Amino acid sequence: MATIIKSAKDITSVLAQSERSIGLVTTMGALHDGHISLIKASKFDCKTTVVSIYVNPLQFGPNEDYKTYPRDLKSDLKICEENNVDYVFVPDDNEIYPGDNKENIVKPPISLASDLCGKTRINHFSGVSTVVKRLFEIVQPDYSYFGEKDLQQLYVVKWLVKEFNLPIFVRACPTVRESSGLAFSSRNLNLSAKEKEIASNLHKALVMAKKNIRSGFFNLSKSILESLIFLSKFPEIKVEYFEARDKNDFSKVDDEKKEGFYLLIAAKVGKTRLIDNVEI
Ligand code: AMP
């Protein structure tokens, strides 16, 4: 039976008595198969599994979708129950940022925070780092689980753990996809059926570039260009970026490189912003 806890103080004290190791899956709710894979990984590794559900206002810009971000607590709790989650932490803003105190903002290095998604989502990664650090402080997990779907976020969290010397293992979990190739995302709920079908082309474009690079048919930039030409056939898709980053340090990648990096895409499909990536 999953126990629902709303107060930071309560969950800290309950977990102090719980059997270790403790695994934490941080989410913004509207849980789907991607989240479930993280829960399963935690259940496999840890004695106690905690899922946090919190839509963090700090990581949304003023013109972003904080208000329309999908929320469905009833279904989330059912999913947690079905997957034998031990504790579901559902804090409100005051538990995370007591007294509206947003002074302890954590700022990742500019090279990471202002790259790719950070170019258009200005304070997004400081919002992510701040809330993840706070959730780590409250839950004090041994393991934490993050999806490769949000790859830049994963690198930010790894930076966070290193920077503050936190005794927490960050486990990266592979992207879970629908049969069309579309990566599961809570934001998919805001897509129409037609948009959802069109959105599956983001993954197709990534796979196409991967094949072109791996086969040596085109170099990196020509492969990206070919995929962008493919995507330009869909007027509903507006690509924000389509870039490569090194697996080791998330730096830019040499044009002739054929492995050891990721291709990452961000695009709007209609009004919904989606991200995805593949490893090369
Ligand atoms: P979110 O609720 O979107 O903030 O995501 C919570 C966690 O689930 C993050 O670590 C995400 O990277 C992860 N996640 C979201 N979608 C997927 C997916 N399709 N496959 C694997 N992990 C995912």
Side-chain angles (χ1 to χ4, degrees):
M1 178 87 172
T3 306
I4 301 152
I5 299 182
K6 292 184 177 174
S7 135
K9 228 170 129 192
D10 288 353
I11 194 148
T12 304
S13 61
V14 164
L15 289 171
Q17 322 286 326
S18 298
E19 219 179 338
R20 290 204 172 255
S21 53
I22 294 174
L24 173 63
V25 178
T26 59
T27 82
M28 297 208 296
L31 301 183
H32 49 66
D33 286 9
H35 299 116
I36 293 172
S37 73
L38 271 52
I39 293 171
K40 287 194 166 139
S42 173
K43 291 292 300 177
F44 184 82
D45 291 341
C46 303
K47 289 261 167 54
T48 303
T49 291
V50 181
V51 170
S52 64
I53 300 176
Y54 178 62
V55 185
N56 174 32
L58 231 56
Q59 69 190 67
F60 290 81
N63 299 318
E64 293 181 359
D65 57 350
Y66 176 68
K67 285 212 170 97
T68 56
Y69 193 84
R71 291 164 171 88
D72 190 348
L73 190 57
K74 207 174 152 200
S75 151
D76 292 347
L77 296 177
K78 188 166 174 267
I79 288 172
C80 288
E81 192 72 55
E82 284 165 1
N83 288 279
N84 302 313
V85 170
D86 298 289
Y87 297 102
V88 190
F89 180 42
V90 193
D92 63 18
D93 291 343
N94 204 39
E95 294 296 327
I96 299 293
Y97 305 114
D100 205 20
N101 176 8
K102 293 185 183 142
E103 278 164 25
N104 300 324
I105 300 287
V106 181
K107 289 198 164 130
I110 291 178
S111 59
L112 197 50
S114 303
D115 195 20
L116 302 176
C117 288
K119 273 193 185 142
T120 48
R121 307 193 72 189
I122 305 301
N123 293 316
H124 174 67
F125 288 112
S126 57
V128 168
S129 311
T130 305
V131 77
V132 171
K133 182 159 182 276
R134 178 85 181 110
L135 289 166
F136 281 174
E137 281 162 5
I138 294 167
V139 173
Q140 295 172 31
D142 304 290
Y143 291 79
S144 63
Y145 296 82
F146 289 86
E148 286 174 352
K149 210 267 292 176
D150 301 272
L151 192 67
Q152 193 174 3
Q153 168 174 285
L154 178 63
Y155 277 80
V156 166
V157 173
K158 284 184 174 167
W159 165 82
L160 178 78
V161 165
K162 211 167 158 199
E163 177 72 13
F164 293 94
N165 237 325
L166 305 174
I168 300 170
F169 182 80
V170 178
R171 183 155 161 203
C173 301
T175 303
V176 181
R177 301 178 180 283
E178 300 197 5
S179 54
S180 67
L182 176 65
F184 278 101
S185 163
S186 303
R187 287 190 169 92
N188 292 356
L189 289 168
N190 290 341
L191 296 170
S192 68
K194 187 178 172 223
E195 284 173 338
K196 223 174 149 183
E197 201 185 310
I198 290 165
S200 67
N201 289 299
L202 302 181
H203 182 242
K204 284 200 184 85
L206 288 167
V207 172
M208 181 192 283
K210 179 173 177 160
K211 278 189 189 148
N212 282 331
I213 293 164
R214 275 293 181 84
S215 65
F217 197 68
F218 292 134
N219 69 8
L220 175 57
S221 42
K222 179 81 170 99
S223 300
I224 291 177
L225 186 63
E226 284 296 310
S227 288
L228 286 171
I229 291 168
F230 164 71
L231 288 173
S232 69
K233 289 190 289 188
F234 305 96
E236 298 85 352
I237 299 180
K238 301 268 179 291
V239 177
E240 190 181 298
Y241 64 74
F242 193 137
E243 294 201 31
R245 289 291 179 272
D246 196 280
K247 207 176 162 181
N248 288 326
D249 56 4
F250 218 63
S251 61
K252 291 194 174 162
V253 172
D254 185 274
D255 221 18
E256 302 309 321
K257 203 166 165 151
K258 289 195 169 40
E259 59 186 351
F261 63 97
Y262 295 96
L263 285 177
L264 304 97
I265 190 168
K268 274 203 165 170
V269 179
K271 287 195 172 124
T272 307
R273 186 178 181 279
L274 300 172
I275 56 172
D276 200 354
N277 65 83
V278 289
E279 187 179 343
I280 312 283

